[in-house]
Amino acid sequence: MKIGNNIKVSGAVSMDDEGAPMAVGDFLQQMKNCYSDLEKVLKYYGCAFDDVVVENVFTTDMPAFLEHTAYRNTIYPQQFPTGSWLGVKGLALPEFLIEIELEAQCNA
């Protein structure tokens, strides 16, 4: 959703165009799929990850997330946005291991 220069993206999960979970059991690939989908939304609005000011991560496997946080360095090479990392009991489907929501400030 775009409100002025503010882009708010609700949680991205690893699913295909039909809504079926992808990369079941593969935490890193699910994480990559989330960021790939988020990048598409940002580009649609003329934004990039450099414009992200808030990123919240929800995961059912915090140890796996912490193991792969270095991947975020490729997403945010300049600086990390504010946000929270939350360990949760479950997400929308049991196959989902991670969900990422973000907010960006864009001048596009």
Side-chain angles (χ1 to χ4, degrees), residues 57-88:
V57 176
F58 306 89
T59 180
T60 59
D61 189 346
M62 187 61 75
F65 176 69
L66 294 173
E67 178 183 339
H68 297 296
T69 55
Y71 178 73
R72 293 177 74 244
N73 295 343
T74 67
I75 303 300
Y76 300 107
Q78 303 294 322
Q79 67 183 24
F80 293 110
T82 64
S84 298
W85 298 350
L86 302 151
V88 297

Side-chain angles (χ1 to χ4, degrees), residues 4-56:
N5 291 337
N6 192 358
I7 309 297
K8 294 186 181 214
V9 185
S10 62
V13 292
S14 179
M15 68 179 168
D16 63 20
D17 292 337
E18 286 76 43
M22 294 177 14
V24 174
D26 185 338
F27 191 94
L28 181 58
Q29 189 58 53
Q30 284 198 22
M31 187 179 197
K32 289 178 178 181
N33 293 347
C34 290
Y35 281 117
S36 176
D37 286 348
L38 291 166
E39 182 177 34
K40 290 174 192 172
V41 173
L42 289 169
K43 281 185 178 181
Y44 176 82
Y45 287 108
C47 304
F49 283 111
D50 287 343
D51 300 309
V52 174
V53 294
V54 178
E55 176 196 77
N56 293 315

